[in-house]
Every structure is written in structure tokens, then in C-alpha cells.
Amino acid sequence: MRNRWTASFLLLSVLWTASAQPSEAAVPPPVRLDAACAADLAARLGPVGVLGCDPAGRGLAVVVLGDLATARSVAVLVPGSDTDLARLHDPASPQRRPFGWARALADAGGPGLAVVLWVGYVTPDGLGVDAASGRLARAGATALVRFVDDLRAGPSAAAHVTVVGHSYGAVVAALAAPDLAAEDVVLVGSPGARAGSVADLDTRARVWAGRADADWIGRVPGVRIGDLGHGRDPAGPGFGARPLPVDGVRGHDGYLAPGTASLDAIARIATAPAGGAA
């Protein structure tokens, strides 16, 4: 996988300079709640709240573990590439898919934490141009800001909000950061932040970042050529993010696995009192 990404990236850099830049992706509207889609999703996932379920195309979904009306804290999990309605959950191996990560975070955070799995944007499918460029991330960032604003306008107005972006979802979260109504932004397994430093993110939120040595994403070049590449690793030295411990993380999808230091740390960040230290 590491060699495949590196080879793909280098090939794309050549193709990108020789071809026209793709048009900007349209900002998706709020995920609509299709009744049949929601019923099928709830049957697959078990006892969850389905806030949105749209079967069009590859499908979008927003689900919540916990009670947004009573939760003192809300964590919004933004997954990355290859996430859609059909690939939210793997019952045989839960930690391979984002719903398993959301469940692990909800369990670690306890009853005062509501975890929202937000798939409200079209994610890159595979390791093509979309994964290496920012067009889908920019559209997703605008949609994410709107979603968090809507949370703040509802029963979660007083809650501590943490946005957790994984992989390409971390790119989305970083681009959204200047306008996010969140206390904390956590970037894990990120291919880059499209910024040179925390100061460049221009956010009022505390920014945390972590990348495990065993994560193949570390082989992605921290460069940008036009809109290709996502730039500097937010977990790298000099970026200025608060360090997230990653002891026990195996591979790219292990940051929210039970028993890892990163899961424990993210749960503490997400449940910290408003204005308090994590």
C-alpha cells in the first residue's frame, strides 16, 4: 500500500502538470433523511440515531451514538477516502470501518459524550486524483462548517464540540478550521493540512495532531504542486499542533482502536470541560 501510494502520487504529479485542473466540487446540501435508507441503515448498525441518510450516488449518512439533547460533549468524526453508505461498517472486523471507530470513541468517552459519524461529503474513491487534490476537501469543509453550526443552533448549543478528522477527513477538518464552531480539532493520520502551521489555520480551536510510525500515510510527500498534494504534516515538528500520543496504533486505521493511547487521549479531549485542559 505504501509503495502503491507513492507511485500513484508521483504519476499523478506528472499527469496533473500536463492536464487541466478538474472543476471545483459542488458543496453538498445537508444530508437528507430518506426514510427507507434510514431504516436500512439502523438495521445494519443497531441502536443509533440516524440524522441523515441519502442513498443517491455512493450515499451519504450522518449517525449519532448517544443523546445530543443531553450530552455535555459532542465529537464529530470526519472519515476520509473510501467512506460511503455501503462502507460505514464491517461487522466481522469493526475497526476496519468508521462506525467501529465511532463506537470505540463513544464507549471510551462515556455517557456524557455523543459521537456523530459525519459522512456529509463525497469522499475520494481510491487513490486517484481526488485523494491527492483538495477539490472534494474544500466542498466537504464548507459542508462541515454548516453542520457544526447547525449543531450549535440545536440542543448541543452549550456542548463542548470536538471535530476529529482522519486521513483525507483531516484535510477536510483543517480546511474547515477557521470557521468551525468547535473547541478542539484533532487531526490523525493526515496526508497534510494545506497549511504551513497552526497559525495558518487561523482557528480559535485547540489543534491536536498525531501520526503513528506504522502508518503508511507517513510516506506521502509533504508537498503541494498546484492543487496536488496536501502539504505539511500537522503532526510534524514545527507545525505547532498539540501532540497526540499514538502508542499502540497499528497501521493507518488504528487511531481509534481500543487500547491505544490515541483513543484514550481523544476521549479526554472530547470530554474536557469547556475551556478546561484535556
Side-chain angles (χ1 to χ4, degrees):
M1 179 65 78
R2 295 176 184 176
N3 291 337
R4 179 185 174 193
W5 177 278
T6 302
S8 297
F9 194 96
L10 293 174
L11 176 60
L12 286 171
S13 67
V14 175
L15 294 177
W16 188 271
T17 56
S19 63
Q21 180 173 325
S23 60
E24 284 296 294
V27 176
V31 181
R32 68 185 182 94
L33 185 59
D34 178 272
C37 178
D40 177 70
L41 186 59
R44 286 169 49 201
L45 300 183
V48 298
V50 180
L51 305 181
C53 193
D54 185 349
R58 287 165 49 208
L60 301 176
V62 183
V63 301
V64 59
L65 294 160
D67 186 351
L68 288 173
T70 61
R72 297 184 302 274
S73 306
V74 177
V76 180
L77 177 58
V78 184
S81 298
D82 300 323
T83 305
D84 49 37
L85 197 55
R87 292 180 282 187
L88 287 183
H89 183 39
D90 183 346
S93 184
Q95 283 304 308
R96 292 186 64 245
R97 296 296 181 194
F99 182 71
W101 311 341
R103 173 64 73 188
L105 181 56
D107 290 345
L113 175 67
V115 178
V116 178
L117 174 56
W118 183 80
V119 188
Y121 77 109
V122 177
T123 69
D125 194 11
L127 297 178
V129 170
D130 280 337
S133 71
R135 58 187 295 271
L136 294 181
R138 285 188 290 273
T142 301
L144 176 60
V145 167
R146 182 186 61 216
F147 176 76
V148 174
D149 284 346
D150 289 345
L151 278 180
R152 290 295 199 189
S156 300
H160 177 119
V161 174
T162 300
V163 173
V164 182
H166 172 258
S167 194
Y168 194 85
V171 181
V172 174
L175 288 173
D179 300 309
L180 274 179
E183 281 71 40
D184 290 279
V185 174
V186 182
L187 310 175
V188 291
S190 178
R194 295 194 155 247
S197 68
V198 164
D200 291 341
L201 294 180
D202 192 24
T203 178
R204 68 179 182 86
R206 297 180 297 185
V207 179
W208 307 76
R211 178 178 58 77
D213 290 340
D215 184 350
W216 60 263
I217 204 77
R219 298 288 294 274
V220 174
V223 298
R224 285 180 62 184
I225 304 171
D227 198 35
L228 178 71
H230 303 301
R232 197 169 184 182
D233 176 4
F239 188 85
R242 300 178 184 223
L244 190 80
V246 292
D247 298 339
V249 174
R250 297 181 178 180
H252 185 54
D253 296 332
Y255 293 93
L256 290 166
T260 58
S262 50
L263 173 62
D264 291 343
I266 293 169
R268 287 196 303 271
I269 292 164
T271 57

